[in-house]
C-alpha cells in the first residue's frame, strides 16, 4: 500500500487543530484513558510523552502519578510546547522541553514509560528511524514504550513500518491492538 506523507506546519497551526486540541482538553479522556490504562501506572514512574502537542494526553498521565513520579513532555513545536506548559502548570513533577529528541539534553535510560500518540506518522519518513532509535535509548532496561498511530494510507503510517523501526532500535512488540484505522503497540527492550 502507498502511504502518503504530508508535512503539517505545527508552528502555524490551523484554527481547526486548535479547536480539536481544546476539545481534547475536555473530552480527551475518551481517547487517552483507554490507552493510558494499558500503562498500568503505579504512580512513581518517570514518563516521557513524546510529541505531547498541547498536553491534552499528558494531563491524564500526570493525574496518575504521585510525588515520586514525573512526566517529561517534549515537542518540536514551540507553539505546542507552550500550550502544554500552560495546560500542565497545575501538576507537580512536570517538565516541558521544546526540541528534537535526538538533540535534547536528556540522559539515556531515563524513563520507565514512553508514550507516543499520533506523532511518528507526522515525522518525515527519512527522520523516523533515527528518531525511534533515539527514543529507545531513553528507555530504561525494564521500560515500556506505548505507541498509538493512525494507519490510513491517506494520513497515517504502515504498521509494518512502525515494527521495523522498533525492531532496528532493539524494541520488541509485546502487545498490540489493531483496529480499522489505528494501531496501538506496547514495546519492550529485546532481552
Ligand atoms: C497530531 S499532533 C499529536 C499531539 C499529541 N500527542 C496529542 O495526542 O494531542 C503531533 C505532534 O507531534 C509533534 N511533532 C512532530 N514531529 C515531531 C518530532 N520530530 N519530535 C517531536 N514532536 C514532533 C507536533 O509538533 C505535534 O505537536
Amino acid at each position: 500500500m502507498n502511504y502518503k506523507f504530508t508535512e503539517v506546519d505545527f508552528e502555524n497551526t490551523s484554527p481547526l487543530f486548535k479547536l480539536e486540541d481544546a476539545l481534547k482538553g475536555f473530552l480527551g479522556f475518551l481517547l487517552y484513558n483507554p490507552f493510558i490504562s494499558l500503562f498500568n501506572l503505579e504512580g512513581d514512574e518517570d514518563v516521557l510523552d513524546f510529541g505531547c502537542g498541547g498536553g491534552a494526553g499528558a494531563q491524564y498521565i500526570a493525574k496518575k502519578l504521585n510525588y515520586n513520579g514525573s512526566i517529561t513532555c517534549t515537542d518540536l513545536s514551540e507553539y505546542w510546547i507552550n500550550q502544554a506548559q500552560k495546560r500542565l502548570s497545575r501538576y507537580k513533577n512536570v517538565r516541558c522541553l521544546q526540541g528534537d529528541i535526538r538533540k535534547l539534553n536528556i540522559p539515556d535510560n531515563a524513563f520507565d514509560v514512553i508514550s507516543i500518540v499520533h506523532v511518528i506518522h507526522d515525522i518525515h519518513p527519512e527522520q523516523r528511524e533515527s528518531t525511534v532509535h533515539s527514543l529507545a535509548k531513553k528507555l530504561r532496561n525494564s521500560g515500556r514504550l506505548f505507541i498509538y498511530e493512525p494507519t490510513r494510507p491517506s494520513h497515517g503510517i504502515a504498521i509494518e513500518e512502525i515494527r521495523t523501526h522498533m525492531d532496528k532500535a532493539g524494541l520488541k512488540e509485546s502487545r498490540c491492538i489493531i483496529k480499522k484505522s489505528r494501531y496501538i503497540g506496547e514495546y519492550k527492550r529485546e532481552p
Side-chain angles (χ1 to χ4, degrees):
M1 222 177 296
N2 256 347
Y3 275 75
K4 190 168 163 258
F5 174 70
T6 311
E7 185 135 20
V8 179
D9 182 0
F10 287 103
E11 217 54 76
N12 300 297
T13 298
S14 71
L16 202 63
F17 256 55
K18 290 182 185 170
L19 179 66
E20 187 186 314
D21 179 66
L23 286 175
K24 281 199 270 187
F26 296 109
L27 298 170
F29 61 91
L30 296 169
L31 168 70
Y32 297 108
N33 276 347
F35 178 64
I36 292 167
S37 68
L38 301 174
F39 304 180
N40 279 329
L41 291 171
E42 294 189 354
D44 59 355
E45 292 88 351
D46 294 311
V47 181
L48 169 67
D49 187 3
F50 172 69
C52 63
Q59 67 184 339
Y60 297 103
I61 298 173
K63 280 179 191 168
K64 294 196 179 289
L65 298 175
N66 59 40
Y67 281 93
N68 294 319
S70 73
I71 176 159
T72 299
C73 299
T74 72
D75 202 286
L76 208 51
S77 153
E78 197 176 339
Y79 173 81
W80 283 110
I81 206 73
N82 286 338
Q83 294 302 111
Q85 185 96 55
K86 280 185 216 153
R87 184 177 267 143
L88 300 167
S89 60
R90 78 186 87 145
Y91 298 101
K92 302 276 177 235
N93 296 348
V94 177
R95 64 174 173 163
C96 294
L97 304 174
Q98 185 255 321
D100 187 325
I101 194 73
R102 296 169 297 181
K103 296 178 192 151
L104 279 171
N105 190 16
I106 297 176
D108 290 348
N109 303 309
F111 300 105
D112 302 298
V113 172
I114 295 179
S115 172
I116 306 170
V117 179
H118 287 214
V119 185
I120 303 296
H121 73 285
D122 276 327
I123 298 177
H124 191 284
E126 284 174 14
Q127 310 288 322
R128 291 173 185 166
E129 184 179 323
S130 56
T131 300
V132 172
H133 184 77
S134 181
L135 280 168
K137 289 208 294 191
K138 308 291 176 217
L139 200 61
R140 293 190 175 128
N141 282 342
S142 58
R144 294 162 300 139
L145 180 151
F146 295 86
I147 181 164
Y148 183 160
E149 291 289 336
T151 55
R152 284 186 307 276
S154 57
H155 185 72
I157 180 169
I159 298 170
E160 276 320 307
E161 185 185 338
I162 298 173
R163 287 177 172 150
T164 301
H165 293 319
M166 296 293 172
D167 190 55
K168 284 188 178 170
L171 298 177
K172 196 173 165 51
E173 186 185 79
S174 52
R175 175 163 48 160
C176 75
I177 301 168
I178 298 173
K179 296 269 167 74
K180 202 172 147 210
S181 58
R182 64 198 152 103
Y183 164 81
I184 290 175
E186 175 181 356
Y187 287 83
K188 294 178 183 168
R189 262 193 211 293
E190 304 249 27

